[in-house]
Each structure stands twice: as C-alpha cells, then as structure tokens.
Amino acid sequence: MTTKTRNLNVLSFNPKTDEYNSFIVDLSPEQAQYILDYHNRDNRKMSNSQVNKIFRSIENDNWLLDGQPMTFNTDGNLTEFQHRLKAITKCQKNRTFKVVVVTGVQPDCFSKTATNKKRNPIDEIQRKYDRAHKDEVSILGDIMKRQRKMRLSMQNAISSYENWFKNISNSLKISGDYENVMDKFSLQRKTLRAYMALCERHGYLEECKIFLELLDNELEEDSEICCTLSSQFLKFWNSTAVDLSNEKRMDVLFSMLCVATDRIIMRDDGMIDLNVNSHDLENESMEKMGVYRKFIS
C-alpha cells in the first residue's frame, strides 16, 4: 500500500501535495495520532505544559471553532497544530473534532515571513472594550498577582476586567490626589493603584487615603510635618529597596502598604511605629497579618 493510499484510507486526504487548498474534516483521536506519527517530522519540540493546557480547555469549554487551521507543507509535514493534535489524542476515542485543513504550504515560509503578533490579555479586553487603557489592564494584572489566586490570562481577561473596572477607575482618580507619592514610586505605580483598588473592594479605602496623605505630606519639599509611620515607611523603603529588582520592589512595597494600613487602623494619626523587618514582609509571614490576609482570602 502506498503512502498516499494509506493517508486517504486513514485521513480521507493526503497531507503531501503541491496543491494549495483548504477544507474541513472531522478528526478523531486516532487520526490525530496518525498525523503525529507519520507527518510531524519537521516541527519544533513538543511542550507538555501547552498540551495539558489545551486539553484542560477542551474539557472545560469544549472544542471551540476558532478558525485556526491545521497546516501541512508540500513535503507532507505538519507546520501548525501539533499541540492541539496531541491534546486531541488524550480525549475519548469516540469524539471527533471539526478542523480546518490547509495543504500545499511552502516549506520554510515560517522562517521567512513576519510572525503574527502575540495576543495578550489587553488585546482580548480591547476587542470588547475598545476604550480600555493599558494602565487599567496593568493594574488589573497586579491586582490578580496580589490576590495570589490566578494570573491575568486570555481566558479570564474580560470577566476579570468587568469585575474590577469600577475599582480600577477609582484608583486612577484617587492616585491623582497624591502627586508626591506617585512621583516617588513612579516605577511601582501599578502596584500602588492595585493596593488602592483592593482597599476600596475590601472596605479599607478611608485608611488607605489617610496613609497616602500622610506619606504625600512627608514627601513634600521643605515639609515640617513629621509623622512616625510615614517617616519610618520612607526610611525603611530607601534602605531596603535600593538593591532589589523592580519586580521585587513591587512585592515589598505592597507588603509595606498592607502593614501601614494595619497600623492606621490601630492609630489613624500615624503616630505609631511601622515595626517591620524584611523577613516580616515575606509571603509566609504576611499571610498571617490583617489587611494582607483579607486581600488574598
């Protein structure tokens, strides 16, 4: 039996052809494995994590008709779809999956043409909300990181944006009242605004504003105001954050803001010690503390 005949018997089409053509097939897990065994000899390394991600998506949301084709070059080798095929092989044997097939793709075309722009959560959000701003999405991503439940992704982008939009909009407005603070922490603005949004959501907005005002006054040039909490906050930050990466600085800043809010709850004039060290700001320690614990619960 020739390879062409075997392909037609198993797949109902021949992947190896010079004809540039497209059509739709109903693909079974057995056929998916056949393609991987005999027509996947010129592809990148398979990623098991990507396969598992696609399989979970199929299990949770079914097989979605996204229009993305399975493509074969003129040598009969698969050029796109290998991870989806591998995920299909993990599904029940009696299932079929509607797939667009393109044959006759020129070899090496992927190395010679510009690649597609990678889609990010902001692209998905702006698809539905064209006025969504990158700053809003940046804050949203930081909120979700601070909650430590799930990261912002294509799958949860729209629902998360809709859930947090009001709090994020308010945090952008509120931050305008604390110009000195935003200037001081210009590289950590998204974390500051995520903190404000979380405070509003969990009922700590008043305490948040009190502390930010104290901090803003502390940063005022030639200011004679001296507040124990804000003074110690800045001193600790200046000595601790200097050698950290910006990502780590944002983690430390968020923990410090949570501790400062706890102190404001205890004494709203800010005449109270920050009373914290670097070890206290690690996740394990912070999970036991008031505001931080509420934010991740």
Side-chain angles (χ1 to χ4, degrees):
M1 182 185 297
T2 66
T3 300
K4 179 178 179 180
T5 302
R6 185 178 62 186
N7 287 338
L8 292 174
N9 286 341
V10 177
L11 300 175
S12 76
F13 69 92
N14 186 17
K16 185 176 181 179
T17 176
D18 292 333
E19 182 183 5
Y20 189 54
N21 192 18
S22 64
F23 46 89
I24 295 174
V25 299
D26 290 317
L27 200 71
S28 70
E30 181 184 14
Q31 290 171 320
Q33 187 61 59
Y34 176 87
I35 292 170
L36 291 172
D37 289 342
Y38 296 100
H39 295 280
N40 194 35
R41 293 169 179 167
D42 187 24
N43 217 329
R44 57 184 171 171
K45 184 179 179 181
M46 189 84 71
S47 166
N48 289 327
S49 62
Q50 179 67 6
V51 171
N52 290 330
K53 186 185 298 183
I54 295 171
F55 176 69
R56 287 194 299 270
S57 175
I58 295 173
E59 292 293 291
N60 295 333
D61 303 312
N62 213 333
W63 179 257
L64 301 179
L65 304 179
D66 61 3
Q68 300 300 312
M70 174 171 60
T71 59
F72 297 89
N73 63 24
T74 53
D75 295 325
N77 281 316
L78 189 71
T79 57
E80 285 290 334
F81 224 76
Q82 67 167 345
H83 292 99
R84 278 166 283 188
L85 285 175
K86 189 65 176 178
I88 287 174
T89 66
K90 294 163 68 72
C91 296
Q92 293 181 349
K93 302 307 178 185
N94 61 347
R95 292 188 67 179
T96 59
F97 303 84
K98 196 171 291 295
V99 175
V100 177
V101 178
V102 176
T103 60
V105 172
Q106 294 179 351
D108 300 329
C109 66
F110 292 103
S111 61
K112 294 179 180 178
T113 59
T115 58
N116 295 331
K117 179 181 180 293
K118 181 183 177 182
R119 286 181 177 269
N120 293 308
I122 188 171
D123 298 312
E124 180 66 4
I125 292 169
Q126 289 180 334
R127 179 181 64 80
K128 185 170 183 180
Y129 298 100
D130 58 359
R131 294 188 178 181
H133 193 274
K134 64 179 182 180
D135 286 349
E136 296 172 344
V137 180
S138 180
I139 297 166
L140 175 61
D142 205 77
I143 289 171
M144 296 179 71
K145 177 183 177 181
R146 302 307 158 194
Q147 289 187 304
R148 298 177 59 201
K149 295 176 183 176
M150 63 178 71
R151 292 297 184 100
L152 183 62
S153 67
M154 293 288 289
Q155 289 72 31
N156 62 36
I158 291 177
S159 59
S160 300
Y161 181 78
E162 292 172 342
N163 182 30
W164 283 96
F165 173 73
K166 182 178 178 181
N167 301 113
I168 291 171
S169 295
N170 287 343
S171 75
L172 285 164
K173 294 175 184 176
I174 292 167
S175 64
D177 294 332
Y178 310 105
E179 185 176 347
N180 296 325
V181 173
M182 300 310 292
D183 285 345
K184 170 68 175 177
F185 301 99
S186 60
L187 297 179
Q188 298 84 35
R189 287 186 178 189
K190 67 177 181 180
T191 298
L192 270 167
R193 288 165 173 158
Y195 157 73
M196 297 175 202
L198 283 161
C199 281
E200 182 182 39
R201 175 65 67 94
H202 290 274
Y204 298 110
L205 185 57
E206 192 58 33
E207 290 81 2
C208 166
K209 289 181 176 179
I210 289 172
F211 176 67
L212 290 177
E213 183 176 352
L214 291 171
L215 194 59
D216 202 66
N217 290 335
E218 193 79 36
L219 288 164
E220 189 72 46
E221 191 174 347
D222 300 325
S223 172
E224 296 181 1
I225 300 173
C226 183
C227 166
T228 303
L229 182 60
S230 57
S231 177
Q232 290 183 4
F233 186 98
L234 289 174
K235 184 177 180 180
F236 184 86
W237 171 261
N238 290 335
S239 63
T240 303
V242 61
D243 293 325
L244 301 177
S245 66
N246 193 49
E247 192 68 26
K248 185 60 177 177
R249 286 181 185 180
M250 288 188 282
D251 294 341
V252 169
L253 178 61
F254 182 75
S255 294
M256 289 178 64
L257 289 166
C258 290
V259 172
T261 307
D262 288 334
R263 302 294 182 263
I264 290 295
I265 292 171
M266 296 169 64
R267 181 161 178 168
D268 63 9
D269 64 357
M271 302 307 290
I272 184 173
D273 290 329
L274 180 65
N275 191 26
V276 72
N277 58 49
S278 295
H279 177 72
D280 294 333
L281 299 177
E282 297 295 328
N283 285 331
E284 272 190 27
S285 300
M286 292 298 298
E287 286 173 359
K288 304 171 185 177
M289 301 179 68
V291 168
Y292 188 97
R293 187 175 71 248
K294 290 285 183 67
F295 287 167
I296 65 173
S297 63

